[in-house]
Amino acid sequence: MERRRFLGIAATGVAAASTMSLASCGSGGPGGDEVTLKLVAAEYGAPGKPDSSQHYWEKLARAFEKKHPGIKIDVQTYLWDDVDAKVAEMVKEGKAPDLAQIGAYAVYAAQDQLYSADQLLTISAQANFIPAIAAPGEYRRVQYGLPFTSSSRLLFYNKTLFERAGLDPDAAPESWAEIKAAAKALKAAGVKIPYGLPLGREEPQAEALLWMLGNGGGYTDKVGSYTIDSNNNVETFDWIRKNLTGAGLTNNAPGETNRRDIAEAFTKGEAGMIFGHPTFMREIRAKNIKFGISKRLPGREGPMEATMGVVDWMMAFKQNGRRKEIGAFLDYVFQDDKVLEFAEQYALLPTTTSAVQKMTAQRGSTELKPFLDQLQTAEFYPAGKTSWAAVNQAVKDNIGKAADPGGDPEKVLGKIQNEAQKASSME
């Protein structure tokens, strides 16, 4: 999975409020028995290292338990490669966690296994979500996925390599034509990978969407129908094939190259341009690479109003019937100071209006500002469709072929569209 992340629900909003707040700090289960909530969460750092998410959650859980003696929190974090599958396994075995912070929720919502947002949060808390971020958390117009963390994507470029190629190090490419021109100059200057194009199986759905958005395309239309083989999308991959891969301006075999491989090449000073998320800045700085970031997504004709956004979700399972205790914990987890602490630690973005305002006020005009600005209009995966898991897999299996110099984008995208229609017919 692509990864990326951060959370947010404002302190004033996320109260478990009138219907679900605890009767007292000492309240636990029926008859006053102690309740233990099981939380499974994604790992945003490195297991066993100081930046591990396990440390963040353990610290937060212990602080919560002091305020709520009747509730214990059992936390387990897993790598992104494993966490969704781990939760799915637990659910299948009839041992669903009370809370899961993972990448997909729609399948569980469709099976009526989750509490809806209005069963956990106040109206003001729900209204505080940035609309573009909240919408992908809905299944059949009911919100089940609570936006826990978010990020947007912009173009990163190596200033040192730009200078070597005679390019202005303070001017990020703003259009596809400028990306192509910069890539040609970088190649002439001996740069190994002028533009890094990761369409391997790790996260090609992100790279593909960024390019499709740049030409007015995407995975779905405004009413949620799949439009993967639209004329705009076919034209996008024709352009990539003719102007980048076919011209030798990318890494070899993009369809076999993963995002982490391209990210590593950039941090080694071997790639001139790539699309990246806020957390990537930390990795680049650790390698002392001078870099710049575009203010907006470069599109076919110029800068785009929107870029791609990614959301990871918090969800609450009904199985153990602990809505009251879950609501109290979410009230604590989603307070602005907790939200911003997580954001600072992992260089990620808030998902609520109040937290964005606070981050902007605290940070002012910083490198995160372009990413924050994009959140209001970002385009997200159609996570609210139960078919998306199958469609996403079809994209991973095939999309790289659409960028091959000798490939046939119309045929490749048509194949994915057929898979999408089959999957959506079963929703």
Side-chain angles (χ1 to χ4, degrees):
M1 295 186 69
E2 64 218 54
R3 308 308 170 181
R4 17 167 228 309
R5 318 316 172 144
F6 169 65
L7 72 73
I9 298 183
T12 57
V14 185
S18 57
T19 61
M20 66 197 73
S21 61
L22 295 179
S24 68
C25 288
S27 296
D33 294 337
E34 185 175 271
V35 169
T36 298
L37 297 179
K38 175 70 175 181
L39 166 64
V40 175
E43 177 61 79
Y44 291 80
K49 300 295 184 181
D51 70 340
S52 172
S53 298
Q54 184 75 31
H55 297 317
Y56 170 85
W57 285 113
E58 291 287 356
K59 176 185 174 183
L60 185 147
R62 302 296 83 82
F64 171 80
E65 290 168 356
K66 288 182 179 179
K67 294 180 178 293
H68 302 83
I71 307 175
K72 296 292 184 182
I73 309 297
D74 177 20
V75 181
Q76 182 61 60
T77 58
Y78 295 92
L79 292 172
W80 271 109
D81 291 347
D82 305 318
V83 67
D84 282 83
K86 184 65 178 179
V87 171
E89 178 184 346
M90 295 171 70
V91 172
K92 184 177 180 180
E93 293 176 350
K95 301 177 181 178
D98 297 288
L99 291 149
Q101 185 269 299
I102 53 178
Y105 70 89
V107 171
Y108 304 120
Q111 296 171 355
D112 194 29
Q113 295 176 316
L114 302 178
Y115 289 117
S116 60
D118 61 1
Q119 293 176 304
L120 299 168
L121 309 177
T122 62
I123 293 175
S124 60
Q126 295 175 68
N128 194 35
F129 287 122
I130 295 170
I133 293 177
E138 295 181 359
Y139 173 72
R140 295 185 175 176
R141 300 186 179 181
V142 177
Q143 187 173 2
Y144 293 95
L146 309 181
F148 175 76
T149 175
S150 177
S151 70
S152 55
R153 305 290 174 93
L154 291 171
L155 185 74
F156 285 67
Y157 65 99
N158 184 311
K159 289 190 172 186
T160 300
L161 296 183
F162 263 49
E163 287 182 303
R164 183 190 304 172
L167 300 167
D168 184 349
D170 296 317
E174 295 186 335
S175 68
W176 289 2
E178 291 184 10
I179 288 178
K180 177 183 177 181
K184 290 178 68 175
L186 290 165
K187 182 178 181 179
V191 175
K192 183 178 179 179
I193 303 174
Y195 177 81
L197 184 67
L199 292 173
R201 292 175 61 85
E202 181 189 358
E203 198 190 16
Q205 71 276 16
E207 183 74 16
L209 182 55
L210 285 162
W211 283 97
M212 291 190 292
L213 289 174
N215 194 35
Y219 289 119
T220 62
D221 59 21
K222 292 182 179 180
V223 297
S225 299
Y226 287 109
T227 56
I228 297 168
D229 64 346
S230 68
N231 290 336
N232 294 60
N233 290 344
V234 172
E235 289 174 359
T236 293
F237 280 91
D238 265 331
W239 190 93
I240 293 172
R241 186 174 58 84
K242 294 174 182 177
N243 293 278
L244 293 180
T245 56
L249 299 179
T250 67
N251 42 288
N252 295 326
E256 299 174 12
T257 306
N258 287 328
R259 177 188 59 82
R260 68 187 68 185
D261 300 322
I262 289 301
E264 183 178 359
F266 193 92
T267 60
K268 288 181 177 179
E270 297 175 349
M273 297 175 285
I274 66 171
F275 284 122
H277 49 77
T279 309
F280 186 47
M281 292 189 291
R282 183 181 305 173
E283 300 173 37
I284 302 172
R285 287 198 185 93
K287 300 295 183 179
N288 296 316
I289 298 292
K290 292 174 59 180
F291 67 96
I293 304 172
S294 64
K295 292 183 178 180
R296 291 158 69 185
L297 176 70
R300 185 163 190 170
E301 303 300 330
M304 300 294 294
E305 290 298 323
T307 186
M308 185 194 81
V310 176
V311 181
D312 299 325
W313 307 101
M314 179 73 79
M315 63 207 70
F317 285 87
K318 293 180 177 180
Q319 180 176 303
N320 299 316
R322 295 167 178 162
R323 188 181 73 164
K324 182 177 68 172
E325 291 82 8
I326 291 170
F329 184 60
L330 292 178
D331 180 23
Y332 190 78
V333 168
F334 291 150
Q335 292 173 2
D336 276 353
D337 60 331
K338 312 299 187 304
V339 165
L340 294 175
E341 179 183 351
F342 194 92
E344 291 290 337
Q345 183 168 345
Y346 296 106
L348 291 164
L349 307 178
T351 58
T352 61
T353 301
S354 62
V356 166
Q357 290 171 343
K358 288 186 178 181
M359 177 175 274
T360 301
Q362 291 173 6
R363 288 176 172 267
S365 180
T366 69
E367 289 172 328
L368 277 181
K369 189 176 186 303
F371 296 98
L372 284 167
D373 291 343
Q374 291 290 320
L375 279 182
Q376 301 290 343
T377 56
E379 297 281 343
F380 298 87
Y381 300 133
K385 297 171 72 67
T386 57
S387 59
W388 173 241
V391 176
N392 189 25
Q393 189 59 53
V395 171
K396 290 184 176 184
D397 292 341
N398 297 284
I399 199 71
K401 303 182 184 87
D404 286 344
D408 184 341
E410 185 173 5
K411 181 178 179 180
V412 173
L413 297 181
K415 179 179 180 179
I416 299 172
Q417 178 70 16
N418 288 338
E419 293 295 323
Q421 289 174 336
K422 289 179 184 177
S424 60
S425 68
M426 295 184 286
E427 288 185 302

